[in-house]
Amino acid sequence: MSSSTVAGADTPTPSKTQSKRRRSHADLTSRFEAYNRLQGAAVAFGETLPIPEIVAVGGQSDGKSSLLEALLGFRFNVREVEMGTRRPLILQMVHDASALEPRCRFQEEDSEEYGSPVVLSSAIADIIKSRTEALLKKTKTAVSPKPIVMRAEYAHCPNLTIIDTPGFVLKAKKGEPDNTPDEILSMVKSLASPPHRILLFLQQSSVEWCSSLWLDSIREIDPTFRRTVIVVSKFDNRLKEFSDRWEVDRYLSASGYLGDNTHPFFVALPKDRGNVSNDEFRRQISQVDSEVLHHLQEGVKGGFDEEKFKSYIGFGRLRDYLESELQKKYKEAAPATLALLEQRCSELTSELARMDSKIQATSDVSHLRKSAMLHAASISNHVGALIDGAADPSPELWGKTTVEERSRSGIGVWPGVTADVNPPNATLRLYGGAAFERVMHEFRCAAYSIECPSVSREKVANILLAHAGRGGGRGITEAAAEIARAAAKSWLAPLLDTACDRLSFVLGSLFDLALERNCSHDSECGIKGDDMDGYVGFHAALRCAYNRFIGDLAKKCKQLVRHHLDSVTSPYSQVCYFNDFQPCSGPNALSYSKVLELSDTSSASRDVRRDQENIPPEKNAQETTPGKTGETRDVLRESHITIPETPSPDQPGDAAFGVVKKEPGICNDMGPRKRASRMAAQHFARIRGVLVERGVTSTLNSGFLTPCRDRLFVALGLDLFAVNDEKFMDMFVAPGAIDVLESERESLSKRQKILQSCLNEFKNVARAL
């Protein structure tokens, strides 16, 4: 091989150079188009993708609209819209050598499709304004972050995408809310904050850096200006102030305000807003660039530091820099964008599969029944576990103190109880079985706080005189027993109903805890528990069935405890005549005089003593239950007093007949009314003790807790699933639900296809990098 041949091989021919340039331009164009399509899809479907974008920000009169028109290469009166629009405008500029006239199209709202081309450039401003007004009227807001997307294809515009934001203002327009400036600032900060976006900040040259209104706001978003391009607009207004080179260089350097690594661009644009052709508009832009540069070179003594600042002066320099910077960001972001697209496409494919499964399930009754029954069984099991002492979810978050239980249940007080009822562990946050037991303790405290009410003289007289006529020697005892039975029915019945209601509330609260527990357990085990998600009707029916079950238990328990009350207050009951009853002595009775106190209080001993005031004592001849007096052991002796045939309630024994009978240990100067009242209180205490210790406690436990453990799922199943298919499907398929699901599926499918198309396009782009 000759040297000339070798030399020829090493030296690229003009045709090879042109071919390489064309290939490079094609790569840039395909990359730009790929990002434009991805951006359109992101806007249409609400996808959050880190697409490199330029966000133009600045004050309302800082020349932002003129710069956008200059970049587009034609005018469309965007200045008229600037005060009228309160939405971002995404300008997708596409360099198309065949488009000798601008071809502009707007992306349809909530769609990735673009409308028909806009023929007249003057109509663009009207479309932007009308779309803005329509959305703000619909949302009833002054500004909206939802962007308008416009695609402009033109032979004289660069491949560039800019998000134009509403200009900063100090004061709201007439008719706008006073907080409009703050809303605009907040929205612009939100748009400019993502790190993948480049900020294009405009400030007119007449504003000194030290008095800039908006520079501090930009510094809050990008403190070091690492991703901010600063543009000094209307630069020609400043030229006449420069006479020496040092003045120009000092101004162009902006030293002391922007940092050594931040170099602003200095741009001037034509001031003539007359009706000129697009070609004349572009010629004027080039002419202004030339005039500014000529003035700095010739009109200033010594010129300026061209090596340092020339590349930052003029609109042409800014346009080239923005285009190259965006292409560089596109290239850097391509691998990450490709990976993110693959992830989103995979997620959408999974969502589409789940949607298909849900649509299929609406016609597969057996599958729905199976899934619904498994869900109901899981909830029932979790309710049982919570009753048996499960401590998750966190009691600190889900438990309630006694005060909170009273407040949320709407049952703040115990009927007839005037004293404060403070059960043990009242300050602890409990739920489930622990909260149930605490309410039981509270009921006992409330019951033992009630004493037999005082009986009026007339009432005693009526009962006593009626019994006196029946003969026998037990008149006062019988009268006292009748008074005690009436008082027990009147005062203890509301307490029993309140206890059932409070216990019903505790158990009713377990449904939400069971749902939370079910969800967290599925997550921990990696189980997809979303088969029933979205079936609002089923979840509502399940909750209603559970509430009905608890409500039925409360109703039955009220009937059972009322039956116990009726039994112990029956005239045939011998409770009033037994003197050997001791509370807490039955095989099923719990010793509530030694309740485990776990509350952390600063005066524990005092609080325990206070809390134990309403708790019945253990077997101890020296202790008595509240409501019982020390005279209990005298009752039988008092029943041997001979009552006159027609006594007066206030007579001291048989004085009316001149007969005074004295019994050992009996004070004969006490009238029958007082003795009857005292004996009634003793009988009341016996009735209360038998009712609380021997009947109610075991009844409420077996009436509430046992069915929740053993029969909850059966009850839910009978309520929800023992129905025909048509009624069962009403919980899952509401009128029009199938159409809604089909519409959601169509939307998902469309999104998946668009993003899959973008993914394939980016794979081709990645191969060319």
Side-chain angles (χ1 to χ4, degrees), residues 93-169:
M93 307 176 203
V94 181
H95 175 74
D96 185 351
S98 65
L100 301 181
E101 292 295 328
R103 293 196 298 261
C104 299
R105 292 182 298 160
F106 284 90
Q107 184 174 336
E108 300 294 344
E109 301 276 23
D110 302 318
S111 171
E112 79 284 0
E113 301 293 335
Y114 286 82
S116 303
V118 180
V119 178
L120 298 175
S121 298
S122 58
I124 294 174
D126 296 332
I127 294 174
I128 294 172
K129 190 171 184 178
S130 63
R131 287 197 176 193
T132 300
E133 291 174 350
L135 181 66
L136 297 185
K137 184 177 181 180
K138 181 180 178 181
T139 58
K140 297 180 180 180
T141 55
V143 297
S144 173
K146 187 176 182 180
I148 298 171
V149 181
M150 187 183 89
R151 178 183 174 90
E153 301 169 356
Y154 195 29
H156 301 286
C157 72
N159 286 316
L160 197 63
T161 297
I162 290 183
I163 302 176
D164 180 29
T165 61
F168 298 131
V169 292

Side-chain angles (χ1 to χ4, degrees), residues 251-317:
Y251 179 78
L252 296 178
S253 65
S255 58
Y257 295 100
L258 303 180
D260 296 334
N261 297 322
T262 303
H263 301 288
F265 285 84
F266 300 88
V267 174
L269 292 171
K271 289 184 170 61
D272 181 16
R273 298 298 301 176
N275 188 16
V276 297
S277 65
N278 293 335
D279 291 339
E280 176 62 19
F281 176 54
R282 293 191 298 275
R283 190 195 67 77
Q284 290 177 1
I285 293 173
S286 298
Q287 182 180 349
V288 171
D289 275 357
S290 299
E291 290 174 353
V292 169
L293 195 60
H294 181 266
H295 180 85
L296 292 175
Q297 292 170 336
E298 305 295 335
V300 176
K301 184 179 179 180
F304 71 105
D305 191 342
E306 295 192 33
E307 182 180 353
K308 187 174 182 180
F309 299 116
K310 186 176 181 180
S311 57
Y312 297 100
I313 295 175
F315 167 78
R317 300 284 189 174

Side-chain angles (χ1 to χ4, degrees), residues 27 29 32 58 71 106 119 134 187 241 258 261 292 307 343 384 394 402 439 475 493 498 569 598 631 727 764:
D27 291 342
T29 302
F32 180 76
L71 289 169
F106 284 90
V119 178
M187 182 184 73
E241 299 180 13
L258 303 180
N261 297 322
V292 169
E307 182 180 353
Q343 177 186 337
S394 171
T402 294
V439 173
T498 300
T569 56
L598 301 175
E631 301 167 340
K727 188 172 182 181
N764 294 330

Side-chain angles (χ1 to χ4, degrees), residues 7 13 52 134-136 189-190 240 258 381 400 408 415 428 437 452-453 467 514 522 586 681 695 705 734 737:
T13 62
L135 181 66
L136 297 185
K189 284 184 177 181
S190 176
K240 58 186 178 182
L258 303 180
N381 290 336
K400 298 180 184 68
R408 297 186 188 181
L428 294 182
E437 288 303 313
C452 185
H467 279 278
D522 286 347
L705 299 186

Side-chain angles (χ1 to χ4, degrees), residues 1 43 133 147 217 267 274 291 301 327 336 385 393 505 519 534 541 544 643 671 686 718 738-739 744:
M1 183 180 291
V43 170
E133 291 174 350
S217 299
V267 174
E291 290 174 353
K301 184 179 179 180
Q327 288 292 345
F505 172 77
C519 182
C544 288
I643 303 299
R686 287 197 194 93
L718 289 173
I738 296 292
D739 295 337
E744 290 180 9

Side-chain angles (χ1 to χ4, degrees), residues 357-424:
S357 175
K358 187 172 288 188
I359 292 174
Q360 183 181 0
T362 57
S363 58
D364 188 350
V365 180
S366 61
H367 173 78
L368 275 179
R369 282 185 180 273
K370 179 182 177 182
S371 298
M373 291 179 74
L374 288 174
H375 185 78
S378 178
I379 295 299
S380 301
N381 290 336
H382 287 303
V383 169
L386 290 165
I387 289 174
D388 290 337
D392 66 290
S394 171
E396 291 83 356
L397 298 176
W398 293 85
K400 298 180 184 68
T401 64
T402 294
V403 172
E404 290 171 340
E405 271 183 16
R406 292 171 182 169
S407 173
R408 297 186 188 181
S409 65
I411 308 170
V413 295
W414 291 89
V417 179
T418 56
D420 290 337
V421 179
N422 295 298

